[in-house]
Amino acid sequence: MVDEIRIQPEDFSYADEYARCLQAAGPECGAVASFVGLVRSSVGDSDVVGLQLEHYPGMTEQSIAKILAAARKRWDLQHVIVVHRVGELKPNAQIVLVVVASSHRPDAFAACEYVMDYLKTEAVFWKKELRNDGDAWIKSTGDDFARRDSWVDEPS
Amino acid sequence: MTINVLFFASLKEELGLESMTLDVHDSFCNRAELLELLQNKLGRERIAPLLMENVAIAVNQTIEKADFTVQTGDEVAFLPPITGG
């Protein structure tokens, strides 16, 4: 079954996506790992009133497909779902969901974290924080790149 | 021939423009040539954000690091550094 990548303004249901993943993974599935990212309500001393997310339709999906293809080379995965929201999101809103199904727990855990670390640096999105002290386009942090690069030398 | 030029995120805001069509004289086009054509249309001051080194160009959704060619109807996008998901 082909992995699912969806970019949408609408919210998603964790329970529904989990059920979809289980069904697509099939009877050999032994482990499902997942991650949900939320909009934080503050950054440093500033209150965040929202997050504006923009993407490049087509190119963004391609950039995520590349990440999933690389994950599939490293680990034995049965199904992967990535849902990413765009548009204007309020604090505590869900932004991103990654669900990974595999026969075994180590593959599911590792692939889920890998996909998220690469999404943070390689996926084609732009984010603007809407803050009480002024709006700001945000950048990937040094920590984001360090987390991504930690996968490079590690044997799979 | 005509190409479609797109601007994303901070560039879209700074230029006050999401997309435009641009007449290109032949099939060869590089970054400098493209910027010159845009400057003729929009003015030097307005295109200043596009001159930043960290601005990438994608032709038909593929990042171009060096010179590139375009054909009529191609989509050429200016991308500020991505933030990731």
Side-chain angles (χ1 to χ4, degrees):
Chain A
M1 171 113 191
V2 181
D3 295 329
E4 294 169 59
I5 299 165
R6 301 204 307 279
I7 315 290
Q8 58 187 44
E10 302 82 32
D11 201 5
F12 50 82
S13 154
Y14 178 85
D16 290 354
E17 301 301 337
Y18 171 67
R20 287 166 68 90
C21 189
L22 271 189
Q23 194 182 8
E28 301 305 314
C29 181
V32 178
S34 60
F35 174 85
V36 177
L38 310 172
V39 180
R40 277 188 294 269
S41 56
S42 65
V43 174
D45 294 331
S46 314
D47 289 334
V48 173
V49 293
L51 192 64
Q52 191 180 306
L53 280 123
E54 190 174 327
H55 77 304
Y56 186 172
M59 191 171 178
T60 303
E61 286 85 343
Q62 256 179 57
S63 66
I64 298 172
K66 233 162 126 181
I67 296 167
L68 300 192
R72 279 191 170 277
K73 278 196 184 151
R74 291 178 77 131
W75 298 285
D76 183 18
L77 308 177
Q78 289 158 341
H79 195 66
V80 184
I81 296 178
V82 174
V83 184
H84 207 298
R85 295 180 67 195
V86 289
E88 202 171 313
L89 305 180
K90 297 285 173 211
N92 308 119
Q94 303 186 118
I95 309 173
V96 58
L97 168 74
V98 177
V99 190
V100 178
S102 175
S103 298
H104 301 289
R105 165 171 52 90
D107 285 33
F109 267 135
C112 186
E113 191 174 15
Y114 174 96
V115 168
M116 212 39 237
D117 285 349
Y118 274 81
L119 273 176
K120 292 294 287 181
T121 50
E122 310 291 310
V124 179
F125 288 101
W126 296 276
K127 285 192 277 204
K128 188 166 139 181
E129 267 167 5
L130 313 174
R131 304 194 307 223
N132 58 348
D133 57 354
D135 301 344
W137 289 98
I138 53 186
K139 297 178 184 143
S140 297
T141 64
D143 186 48
D144 291 331
F145 289 112
R147 292 191 63 85
R148 177 199 65 187
D149 294 344
S150 72
W151 294 99
V152 175
D153 301 315
E154 213 172 280
S156 55
Chain B
M1 65 177 186
T2 306
I3 59 172
N4 300 313
V5 184
L6 308 179
F7 307 102
F8 283 92
S10 55
L11 298 176
K12 176 169 72 181
E13 279 186 358
E14 284 162 344
L15 270 76
L17 193 63
E18 190 168 350
S19 67
M20 63 185 289
T21 55
L22 193 66
D23 288 324
V24 187
H25 46 79
D26 59 28
S27 65
F28 178 72
C29 201
N30 60 35
R31 192 183 179 108
E33 200 178 337
L34 182 60
L35 287 168
E36 195 184 321
L37 289 170
L38 286 167
Q39 182 176 308
N40 294 341
K41 280 254 182 181
L42 302 172
R44 182 187 293 266
E45 209 168 298
R46 198 161 169 209
I47 67 146
L50 304 178
L51 303 178
M52 303 287 287
E53 246 176 55
N54 60 11
V55 170
I57 292 181
V59 177
N60 296 328
Q61 307 201 344
T62 301
I63 301 277
E64 299 290 346
K65 295 238 155 83
D67 285 350
F68 49 88
T69 56
V70 288
Q71 292 174 337
T72 196
D74 277 357
E75 185 174 282
V76 178
F78 282 86
L79 314 175
I82 57 168
T83 319

